[in-house]
Amino acid sequence: MQQHKILMVLTSHDAMGDTGHKTGFWLEEFTTPYYAFKDAGATVVVASPKGGAAPIDPNSEAEDAQSESTRRFDGDAELQDMINNTVKLSDVNAYEYDAIFYPGGHGPLWDLAEDPTSRQLIETFYYQGKPVGAVCHGPAVFRHTRSDRDEPLVKGKRVTGFTNGEEAAVGLTEVVPFLVEDMLKENGGLYEKADDFTSYVVTDGNLVTGQNPVSSEACVNAVLALLK
């Protein structure tokens, strides 16, 4: 592929409601897409609402959550440094990038879903015809995005994201500020899903969404397909 420049957006939020537990972004949902972009020859810039260090969800560092890409991250001082020094979202110029991608983790439900700068970036990328990708809880970022007809951006579009069943399975239905599946449906999205915790990705135009952590590889591949 030609030299593309990709913006990956991480949460700055590290608290799981008022439970006292920590959250953040889900490591594998970041590392798998990051290395896929990188290995395809792209330049990747990592941003977050506050800039600086982006919090990794501690649960995503557990042994049973590790993958080839997270182990690669463990030995990648350059990428670790990028995570600790993310660009502030308000300093990003959408016109410099070819695609935008949102990994999940529960953090985005609190900050990115409500962030006006993120919303504006998504709308700008979308209306420039550039790929907009989000996986797992990443599609939370479409909560307030609007179309040029001032309707929800996802209205009438095929989308997926973390299911109500998956949220119940991890025991956080009553903790999260909203359920991704419900929100996408309420916004008029044509919500689709596969069985819980199986890979499922939907592409509708330049909008790419993945259902859960195991969808991250297929999700980034769908974005890369749009860039070719």
Side-chain angles (χ1 to χ4, degrees), residues 137-197:
H137 288 88
V141 300
F142 302 121
R143 189 178 195 191
H144 298 299
T145 50
R146 308 294 287 180
S147 74
D148 51 2
R149 296 190 299 274
D150 199 30
E151 296 176 331
L153 185 68
V154 298
K155 184 178 179 182
K157 297 181 179 69
R158 297 173 57 227
V159 286
T160 190
F162 207 58
T163 71
N164 291 352
E166 288 167 334
E167 203 67 83
V170 297
L172 293 169
T173 303
E174 304 302 323
V175 174
V176 294
F178 63 93
L179 296 169
V180 174
E181 176 179 338
D182 285 354
M183 178 275 291
L184 292 171
K185 290 176 177 175
E186 287 161 8
N187 278 357
L190 307 178
Y191 182 83
E192 303 176 9
K193 62 184 175 182
D195 291 341
D196 286 353
F197 302 107

Short mmCIF file of all heavy atoms in Angstrom, two decimals, residues 137-197:
data_model
loop_
_atom_site.label_atom_id
_atom_site.label_comp_id
_atom_site.label_asym_id
_atom_site.label_seq_id
_atom_site.Cartn_x
_atom_site.Cartn_y
_atom_site.Cartn_z
N HIS A 137 -15.82 -1.78 22.42
CA HIS A 137 -16.47 -0.60 23.00
C HIS A 137 -16.11 0.67 22.23
O HIS A 137 -16.65 1.74 22.52
CB HIS A 137 -16.07 -0.43 24.47
CG HIS A 137 -16.68 -1.43 25.39
ND1 HIS A 137 -16.10 -2.66 25.64
CD2 HIS A 137 -17.85 -1.42 26.09
CE1 HIS A 137 -16.87 -3.35 26.48
NE2 HIS A 137 -17.94 -2.63 26.77
N GLY A 138 -15.22 0.55 21.25
CA GLY A 138 -14.87 1.71 20.44
C GLY A 138 -16.08 2.38 19.78
O GLY A 138 -16.14 3.61 19.72
N PRO A 139 -17.06 1.60 19.27
CA PRO A 139 -18.23 2.24 18.66
C PRO A 139 -19.04 3.13 19.60
O PRO A 139 -19.96 3.82 19.15
CB PRO A 139 -19.05 1.04 18.16
CG PRO A 139 -18.02 -0.01 17.86
CD PRO A 139 -17.02 0.15 18.97
N ALA A 140 -18.69 3.13 20.89
CA ALA A 140 -19.30 4.11 21.81
C ALA A 140 -19.10 5.53 21.31
O ALA A 140 -19.89 6.43 21.63
CB ALA A 140 -18.69 3.97 23.21
N VAL A 141 -18.05 5.74 20.50
CA VAL A 141 -17.74 7.09 20.02
C VAL A 141 -18.81 7.63 19.07
O VAL A 141 -18.82 8.83 18.77
CB VAL A 141 -16.36 7.15 19.33
CG1 VAL A 141 -15.27 6.74 20.31
CG2 VAL A 141 -16.32 6.29 18.07
N PHE A 142 -19.71 6.77 18.61
CA PHE A 142 -20.78 7.23 17.71
C PHE A 142 -22.03 7.68 18.46
O PHE A 142 -23.07 7.92 17.86
CB PHE A 142 -21.14 6.12 16.72
CG PHE A 142 -19.97 5.66 15.89
CD1 PHE A 142 -19.55 4.34 15.92
CD2 PHE A 142 -19.27 6.57 15.10
CE1 PHE A 142 -18.45 3.92 15.18
CE2 PHE A 142 -18.17 6.15 14.35
CZ PHE A 142 -17.76 4.83 14.39
N ARG A 143 -21.92 7.83 19.77
CA ARG A 143 -23.11 8.18 20.56
C ARG A 143 -23.71 9.53 20.12
O ARG A 143 -24.93 9.68 20.06
CB ARG A 143 -22.75 8.23 22.05
CG ARG A 143 -23.98 8.38 22.93
CD ARG A 143 -23.64 8.36 24.41
NE ARG A 143 -24.84 8.14 25.22
CZ ARG A 143 -24.89 8.28 26.53
NH1 ARG A 143 -23.80 8.62 27.19
NH2 ARG A 143 -26.01 8.08 27.18
N HIS A 144 -22.85 10.51 19.85
CA HIS A 144 -23.36 11.85 19.54
C HIS A 144 -22.97 12.34 18.14
O HIS A 144 -23.27 13.47 17.79
CB HIS A 144 -22.85 12.86 20.57
CG HIS A 144 -23.31 12.57 21.96
ND1 HIS A 144 -24.63 12.55 22.33
CD2 HIS A 144 -22.61 12.27 23.09
CE1 HIS A 144 -24.74 12.26 23.62
NE2 HIS A 144 -23.53 12.08 24.11
N THR A 145 -22.29 11.50 17.35
CA THR A 145 -21.89 11.95 16.01
C THR A 145 -23.14 12.11 15.14
O THR A 145 -24.09 11.34 15.23
CB THR A 145 -20.93 10.93 15.36
OG1 THR A 145 -21.48 9.61 15.48
CG2 THR A 145 -19.57 10.98 16.02
N ARG A 146 -23.09 13.14 14.27
CA ARG A 146 -24.26 13.48 13.46
C ARG A 146 -23.93 13.42 11.96
O ARG A 146 -22.79 13.62 11.55
CB ARG A 146 -24.75 14.90 13.79
CG ARG A 146 -24.98 15.17 15.25
CD ARG A 146 -26.12 14.37 15.83
NE ARG A 146 -27.43 14.86 15.38
CZ ARG A 146 -28.58 14.31 15.76
NH1 ARG A 146 -28.60 13.27 16.57
NH2 ARG A 146 -29.72 14.81 15.33
N SER A 147 -24.94 13.19 11.18
CA SER A 147 -24.81 13.20 9.73
C SER A 147 -25.01 14.62 9.21
O SER A 147 -25.36 15.54 9.96
CB SER A 147 -25.86 12.29 9.10
OG SER A 147 -27.14 12.91 9.18
N ASP A 148 -24.79 14.79 7.91
CA ASP A 148 -25.00 16.12 7.32
C ASP A 148 -26.48 16.50 7.29
O ASP A 148 -26.83 17.64 7.00
CB ASP A 148 -24.38 16.20 5.92
CG ASP A 148 -24.82 15.06 5.01
OD1 ASP A 148 -25.64 14.22 5.46
OD2 ASP A 148 -24.36 15.02 3.87
N ARG A 149 -27.35 15.56 7.59
CA ARG A 149 -28.78 15.84 7.72
C ARG A 149 -29.17 16.05 9.18
O ARG A 149 -30.36 16.06 9.52
CB ARG A 149 -29.61 14.70 7.12
CG ARG A 149 -29.42 14.51 5.63
CD ARG A 149 -30.44 13.55 5.06
NE ARG A 149 -30.32 12.21 5.64
CZ ARG A 149 -29.48 11.29 5.20
NH1 ARG A 149 -28.67 11.55 4.18
NH2 ARG A 149 -29.44 10.10 5.78
N ASP A 150 -28.15 16.17 10.03
CA ASP A 150 -28.33 16.36 11.48
C ASP A 150 -29.11 15.21 12.12
O ASP A 150 -29.92 15.40 13.02
CB ASP A 150 -28.98 17.70 11.81
CG ASP A 150 -28.74 18.10 13.27
OD1 ASP A 150 -27.70 17.71 13.82
OD2 ASP A 150 -29.62 18.76 13.86
N GLU A 151 -28.85 14.02 11.60
CA GLU A 151 -29.36 12.78 12.21
C GLU A 151 -28.16 12.03 12.78
O GLU A 151 -27.02 12.33 12.44
CB GLU A 151 -30.06 11.92 11.16
CG GLU A 151 -31.30 12.55 10.56
CD GLU A 151 -31.89 11.70 9.45
OE1 GLU A 151 -31.15 10.97 8.78
OE2 GLU A 151 -33.11 11.79 9.26
N PRO A 152 -28.40 11.04 13.66
CA PRO A 152 -27.26 10.25 14.14
C PRO A 152 -26.47 9.66 12.97
O PRO A 152 -27.06 9.18 11.99
CB PRO A 152 -27.93 9.14 14.96
CG PRO A 152 -29.21 9.76 15.44
CD PRO A 152 -29.67 10.62 14.30
N LEU A 153 -25.16 9.74 13.05
CA LEU A 153 -24.30 9.29 11.95
C LEU A 153 -24.57 7.83 11.57
O LEU A 153 -24.50 7.46 10.39
CB LEU A 153 -22.83 9.47 12.34
CG LEU A 153 -21.80 9.15 11.25
CD1 LEU A 153 -21.88 10.17 10.13
CD2 LEU A 153 -20.40 9.14 11.83
N VAL A 154 -24.87 7.00 12.57
CA VAL A 154 -25.05 5.56 12.29
C VAL A 154 -26.46 5.22 11.80
O VAL A 154 -26.74 4.07 11.47
CB VAL A 154 -24.73 4.70 13.53
CG1 VAL A 154 -23.27 4.86 13.93
CG2 VAL A 154 -25.66 5.01 14.70
N LYS A 155 -27.36 6.21 11.76
CA LYS A 155 -28.74 5.92 11.36
C LYS A 155 -28.78 5.31 9.96
O LYS A 155 -28.22 5.86 9.01
CB LYS A 155 -29.59 7.20 11.39
CG LYS A 155 -31.05 6.94 11.08
CD LYS A 155 -31.87 8.21 11.17
CE LYS A 155 -33.34 7.93 10.84
NZ LYS A 155 -34.16 9.16 10.88
N GLY A 156 -29.43 4.14 9.86
CA GLY A 156 -29.56 3.48 8.57
C GLY A 156 -28.31 2.76 8.10
O GLY A 156 -28.28 2.26 6.98
N LYS A 157 -27.28 2.72 8.95
CA LYS A 157 -26.03 2.06 8.56
C LYS A 157 -25.85 0.76 9.35
O LYS A 157 -26.19 0.68 10.51
CB LYS A 157 -24.84 2.99 8.80
CG LYS A 157 -24.89 4.25 7.95
CD LYS A 157 -23.69 5.12 8.20
CE LYS A 157 -23.74 6.37 7.33
NZ LYS A 157 -24.82 7.28 7.74
N ARG A 158 -25.27 -0.23 8.67
CA ARG A 158 -24.96 -1.50 9.33
C ARG A 158 -23.79 -1.29 10.28
O ARG A 158 -22.74 -0.78 9.89
CB ARG A 158 -24.62 -2.57 8.29
CG ARG A 158 -25.76 -2.91 7.35
CD ARG A 158 -25.30 -3.84 6.24
NE ARG A 158 -24.73 -5.08 6.78
CZ ARG A 158 -23.58 -5.61 6.37
NH1 ARG A 158 -22.85 -5.01 5.44
NH2 ARG A 158 -23.15 -6.75 6.90
N VAL A 159 -24.00 -1.67 11.53
CA VAL A 159 -22.97 -1.49 12.56
C VAL A 159 -22.98 -2.67 13.52
O VAL A 159 -23.96 -3.39 13.64
CB VAL A 159 -23.18 -0.19 13.38
CG1 VAL A 159 -22.83 1.03 12.56
CG2 VAL A 159 -24.61 -0.09 13.89
N THR A 160 -21.87 -2.82 14.23
CA THR A 160 -21.82 -3.77 15.34
C THR A 160 -21.01 -3.14 16.47
O THR A 160 -20.53 -2.02 16.35
CB THR A 160 -21.24 -5.13 14.91
OG1 THR A 160 -21.43 -6.08 15.98
CG2 THR A 160 -19.76 -5.04 14.56
N GLY A 161 -20.89 -3.83 17.57
CA GLY A 161 -20.17 -3.36 18.74
C GLY A 161 -20.45 -4.33 19.88
O GLY A 161 -21.23 -5.27 19.72
N PHE A 162 -19.82 -4.11 21.01
CA PHE A 162 -19.94 -5.02 22.16
C PHE A 162 -21.41 -5.25 22.49
O PHE A 162 -22.19 -4.31 22.63
CB PHE A 162 -19.22 -4.41 23.36
CG PHE A 162 -18.72 -5.41 24.36
CD1 PHE A 162 -17.83 -6.40 24.00
CD2 PHE A 162 -19.11 -5.34 25.70
CE1 PHE A 162 -17.33 -7.31 24.93
CE2 PHE A 162 -18.62 -6.24 26.64
CZ PHE A 162 -17.73 -7.23 26.26
N THR A 163 -21.81 -6.51 22.58
CA THR A 163 -23.23 -6.85 22.73
C THR A 163 -23.67 -6.73 24.19
O THR A 163 -22.86 -6.77 25.12
CB THR A 163 -23.50 -8.29 22.28
OG1 THR A 163 -22.92 -9.21 23.24
CG2 THR A 163 -22.93 -8.59 20.91
N ASN A 164 -24.98 -6.61 24.36
CA ASN A 164 -25.54 -6.60 25.72
C ASN A 164 -25.18 -7.90 26.45
O ASN A 164 -24.90 -7.91 27.65
CB ASN A 164 -27.05 -6.44 25.68
CG ASN A 164 -27.48 -5.06 25.21
OD1 ASN A 164 -26.65 -4.17 25.05
ND2 ASN A 164 -28.77 -4.88 24.99
N GLY A 165 -25.20 -9.01 25.72
CA GLY A 165 -24.86 -10.30 26.31
C GLY A 165 -23.42 -10.37 26.76
O GLY A 165 -23.10 -10.95 27.81
N GLU A 166 -22.53 -9.78 25.97
CA GLU A 166 -21.11 -9.76 26.33
C GLU A 166 -20.89 -8.87 27.56
O GLU A 166 -20.10 -9.22 28.45
CB GLU A 166 -20.28 -9.27 25.13
CG GLU A 166 -20.21 -10.31 24.01
CD GLU A 166 -19.67 -9.78 22.70
OE1 GLU A 166 -19.79 -8.56 22.44
OE2 GLU A 166 -19.16 -10.59 21.91
N GLU A 167 -21.60 -7.74 27.62
CA GLU A 167 -21.47 -6.86 28.79
C GLU A 167 -21.97 -7.58 30.05
O GLU A 167 -21.36 -7.46 31.13
CB GLU A 167 -22.25 -5.56 28.56
CG GLU A 167 -21.78 -4.39 29.39
CD GLU A 167 -20.39 -3.90 29.03
OE1 GLU A 167 -20.26 -3.11 28.07
OE2 GLU A 167 -19.43 -4.31 29.71
N ALA A 168 -23.07 -8.32 29.90
CA ALA A 168 -23.59 -9.09 31.04
C ALA A 168 -22.59 -10.16 31.47
O ALA A 168 -22.39 -10.41 32.66
CB ALA A 168 -24.93 -9.72 30.68
N ALA A 169 -21.93 -10.77 30.47
CA ALA A 169 -20.98 -11.85 30.76
C ALA A 169 -19.78 -11.35 31.55
O ALA A 169 -19.22 -12.09 32.36
CB ALA A 169 -20.51 -12.51 29.46
N VAL A 170 -19.40 -10.10 31.34
CA VAL A 170 -18.27 -9.55 32.11
C VAL A 170 -18.75 -8.82 33.37
O VAL A 170 -17.96 -8.22 34.10
CB VAL A 170 -17.37 -8.63 31.25
CG1 VAL A 170 -16.73 -9.44 30.13
CG2 VAL A 170 -18.12 -7.43 30.70
N GLY A 171 -20.06 -8.86 33.61
CA GLY A 171 -20.62 -8.38 34.87
C GLY A 171 -20.66 -6.87 35.04
O GLY A 171 -20.65 -6.37 36.17
N LEU A 172 -20.74 -6.13 33.91
CA LEU A 172 -20.64 -4.67 34.02
C LEU A 172 -21.88 -3.93 33.51
O LEU A 172 -21.84 -2.71 33.35
CB LEU A 172 -19.39 -4.18 33.29
CG LEU A 172 -18.07 -4.63 33.94
CD1 LEU A 172 -16.90 -4.34 33.03
CD2 LEU A 172 -17.88 -3.95 35.29
N THR A 173 -22.96 -4.66 33.29
CA THR A 173 -24.18 -4.03 32.76
C THR A 173 -24.64 -2.86 33.61
O THR A 173 -25.08 -1.83 33.10
CB THR A 173 -25.30 -5.07 32.64
OG1 THR A 173 -24.85 -6.15 31.81
CG2 THR A 173 -26.57 -4.48 32.05
N GLU A 174 -24.54 -3.01 34.94
CA GLU A 174 -25.03 -1.97 35.85
C GLU A 174 -23.97 -0.90 36.15
O GLU A 174 -24.26 0.08 36.83
CB GLU A 174 -25.51 -2.60 37.17
CG GLU A 174 -26.58 -3.67 36.99
CD GLU A 174 -27.83 -3.13 36.28
OE1 GLU A 174 -28.20 -1.98 36.52
OE2 GLU A 174 -28.42 -3.88 35.47
N VAL A 175 -22.76 -1.10 35.65
CA VAL A 175 -21.67 -0.17 35.94
C VAL A 175 -21.46 0.84 34.81
O VAL A 175 -21.22 2.03 35.06
CB VAL A 175 -20.35 -0.95 36.19
CG1 VAL A 175 -19.16 0.01 36.35
CG2 VAL A 175 -20.49 -1.85 37.42
N VAL A 176 -21.58 0.38 33.58
CA VAL A 176 -21.29 1.25 32.43
C VAL A 176 -22.35 2.34 32.29
O VAL A 176 -23.51 2.14 32.68
CB VAL A 176 -21.19 0.43 31.13
CG1 VAL A 176 -19.99 -0.49 31.17
CG2 VAL A 176 -22.47 -0.35 30.86
N PRO A 177 -21.97 3.51 31.75
CA PRO A 177 -22.94 4.60 31.60
C PRO A 177 -24.02 4.32 30.57
O PRO A 177 -25.11 4.88 30.62
CB PRO A 177 -22.08 5.80 31.20
CG PRO A 177 -20.81 5.22 30.68
CD PRO A 177 -20.61 3.93 31.39
N PHE A 178 -23.72 3.45 29.61
CA PHE A 178 -24.71 3.00 28.63
C PHE A 178 -24.20 1.73 27.97
O PHE A 178 -23.01 1.41 28.06
CB PHE A 178 -25.00 4.09 27.58
CG PHE A 178 -23.80 4.46 26.72
CD1 PHE A 178 -23.56 3.83 25.50
CD2 PHE A 178 -22.92 5.45 27.14
CE1 PHE A 178 -22.47 4.17 24.72
CE2 PHE A 178 -21.81 5.80 26.37
CZ PHE A 178 -21.59 5.16 25.17
N LEU A 179 -25.10 1.00 27.34
CA LEU A 179 -24.75 -0.23 26.63
C LEU A 179 -24.56 0.09 25.15
O LEU A 179 -25.41 0.73 24.53
CB LEU A 179 -25.85 -1.27 26.80
CG LEU A 179 -26.06 -1.75 28.25
CD1 LEU A 179 -27.34 -2.57 28.36
CD2 LEU A 179 -24.86 -2.57 28.72
N VAL A 180 -23.44 -0.35 24.59
CA VAL A 180 -23.11 -0.03 23.21
C VAL A 180 -24.19 -0.52 22.25
O VAL A 180 -24.63 0.23 21.36
CB VAL A 180 -21.73 -0.62 22.83
CG1 VAL A 180 -21.45 -0.42 21.35
CG2 VAL A 180 -20.62 0.03 23.66
N GLU A 181 -24.63 -1.76 22.42
CA GLU A 181 -25.67 -2.31 21.53
C GLU A 181 -26.93 -1.46 21.56
O GLU A 181 -27.47 -1.07 20.52
CB GLU A 181 -25.99 -3.75 21.92
CG GLU A 181 -27.12 -4.35 21.09
CD GLU A 181 -27.45 -5.80 21.44
OE1 GLU A 181 -26.59 -6.51 22.01
OE2 GLU A 181 -28.58 -6.22 21.14
N ASP A 182 -27.39 -1.13 22.77
CA ASP A 182 -28.61 -0.34 22.90
C ASP A 182 -28.45 1.04 22.26
O ASP A 182 -29.35 1.53 21.57
CB ASP A 182 -28.98 -0.16 24.38
CG ASP A 182 -29.57 -1.43 24.98
OD1 ASP A 182 -29.81 -2.41 24.24
OD2 ASP A 182 -29.79 -1.44 26.22
N MET A 183 -27.31 1.66 22.50
CA MET A 183 -27.08 3.01 21.97
C MET A 183 -27.10 3.02 20.45
O MET A 183 -27.71 3.89 19.82
CB MET A 183 -25.75 3.55 22.49
CG MET A 183 -25.36 4.94 21.99
SD MET A 183 -24.51 4.91 20.36
CE MET A 183 -22.95 4.16 20.82
N LEU A 184 -26.41 2.04 19.84
CA LEU A 184 -26.37 1.99 18.38
C LEU A 184 -27.77 1.80 17.80
O LEU A 184 -28.13 2.43 16.79
CB LEU A 184 -25.43 0.88 17.91
CG LEU A 184 -23.94 1.12 18.20
CD1 LEU A 184 -23.12 -0.14 17.91
CD2 LEU A 184 -23.40 2.31 17.39
N LYS A 185 -28.57 0.96 18.45
CA LYS A 185 -29.95 0.75 17.99
C LYS A 185 -30.78 2.02 18.18
O LYS A 185 -31.56 2.40 17.29
CB LYS A 185 -30.58 -0.41 18.75
CG LYS A 185 -30.02 -1.78 18.39
CD LYS A 185 -30.64 -2.85 19.28
CE LYS A 185 -30.16 -4.25 18.92
NZ LYS A 185 -30.69 -5.26 19.88
N GLU A 186 -30.63 2.65 19.33
CA GLU A 186 -31.40 3.87 19.61
C GLU A 186 -31.06 4.99 18.63
O GLU A 186 -31.91 5.83 18.31
CB GLU A 186 -31.14 4.34 21.05
CG GLU A 186 -31.80 3.46 22.11
CD GLU A 186 -31.19 3.64 23.49
OE1 GLU A 186 -30.36 4.56 23.68
OE2 GLU A 186 -31.55 2.84 24.39
N ASN A 187 -29.84 4.98 18.13
CA ASN A 187 -29.42 5.98 17.15
C ASN A 187 -29.80 5.60 15.72
O ASN A 187 -29.38 6.27 14.77
CB ASN A 187 -27.90 6.21 17.23
CG ASN A 187 -27.52 7.16 18.35
OD1 ASN A 187 -28.38 7.71 19.04
ND2 ASN A 187 -26.23 7.37 18.55
N GLY A 188 -30.56 4.52 15.59
CA GLY A 188 -31.03 4.13 14.26
C GLY A 188 -30.09 3.26 13.47
O GLY A 188 -30.29 3.02 12.28
N GLY A 189 -29.02 2.78 14.14
CA GLY A 189 -28.09 1.89 13.46
C GLY A 189 -28.73 0.54 13.17
O GLY A 189 -29.56 0.05 13.95
N LEU A 190 -28.36 -0.05 12.06
CA LEU A 190 -28.84 -1.41 11.71
C LEU A 190 -27.88 -2.39 12.38
O LEU A 190 -26.96 -2.91 11.75
CB LEU A 190 -28.87 -1.57 10.19
CG LEU A 190 -29.66 -0.48 9.43
CD1 LEU A 190 -29.60 -0.71 7.93
CD2 LEU A 190 -31.12 -0.44 9.91
N TYR A 191 -28.12 -2.61 13.67
CA TYR A 191 -27.16 -3.35 14.50
C TYR A 191 -27.17 -4.84 14.15
O TYR A 191 -28.23 -5.46 14.02
CB TYR A 191 -27.52 -3.17 15.98
CG TYR A 191 -26.56 -3.87 16.91
CD1 TYR A 191 -25.36 -3.27 17.28
CD2 TYR A 191 -26.84 -5.14 17.39
CE1 TYR A 191 -24.46 -3.91 18.12
CE2 TYR A 191 -25.96 -5.79 18.23
CZ TYR A 191 -24.77 -5.17 18.58
OH TYR A 191 -23.89 -5.83 19.40
N GLU A 192 -25.96 -5.39 14.02
CA GLU A 192 -25.79 -6.82 13.73
C GLU A 192 -24.82 -7.40 14.75
O GLU A 192 -23.98 -6.68 15.31
CB GLU A 192 -25.21 -7.04 12.33
CG GLU A 192 -26.04 -6.43 11.22
CD GLU A 192 -25.37 -6.59 9.85
OE1 GLU A 192 -24.35 -7.33 9.76
OE2 GLU A 192 -25.86 -5.99 8.89
N LYS A 193 -24.92 -8.70 14.97
CA LYS A 193 -23.96 -9.35 15.86
C LYS A 193 -23.87 -10.83 15.54
O LYS A 193 -24.78 -11.41 14.94
CB LYS A 193 -24.36 -9.16 17.33
CG LYS A 193 -25.71 -9.77 17.70
CD LYS A 193 -26.07 -9.45 19.15
CE LYS A 193 -27.48 -9.97 19.47
NZ LYS A 193 -27.88 -9.63 20.85
N ALA A 194 -22.77 -11.42 15.96
CA ALA A 194 -22.60 -12.87 15.90
C ALA A 194 -22.72 -13.39 17.34
O ALA A 194 -23.08 -12.64 18.26
CB ALA A 194 -21.24 -13.21 15.31
N ASP A 195 -22.44 -14.67 17.54
CA ASP A 195 -22.46 -15.21 18.90
C ASP A 195 -21.48 -14.43 19.77
O ASP A 195 -20.47 -13.90 19.29
CB ASP A 195 -22.05 -16.68 18.90
CG ASP A 195 -23.11 -17.57 18.25
OD1 ASP A 195 -24.27 -17.12 18.13
OD2 ASP A 195 -22.77 -18.69 17.83
N ASP A 196 -21.78 -14.34 21.06
CA ASP A 196 -20.92 -13.61 21.98
C ASP A 196 -19.47 -14.11 21.90
O ASP A 196 -19.23 -15.32 21.86
CB ASP A 196 -21.43 -13.75 23.42
CG ASP A 196 -22.69 -12.91 23.66
OD1 ASP A 196 -23.08 -12.13 22.76
OD2 ASP A 196 -23.27 -13.03 24.75
N PHE A 197 -18.55 -13.17 21.87
CA PHE A 197 -17.11 -13.44 21.89
C PHE A 197 -16.63 -14.26 20.70
O PHE A 197 -15.68 -15.04 20.80
CB PHE A 197 -16.69 -14.07 23.23
CG PHE A 197 -17.05 -13.20 24.40
CD1 PHE A 197 -18.09 -13.54 25.26
CD2 PHE A 197 -16.38 -12.00 24.63
CE1 PHE A 197 -18.45 -12.72 26.33
CE2 PHE A 197 -16.72 -11.17 25.70
CZ PHE A 197 -17.76 -11.53 26.55
#
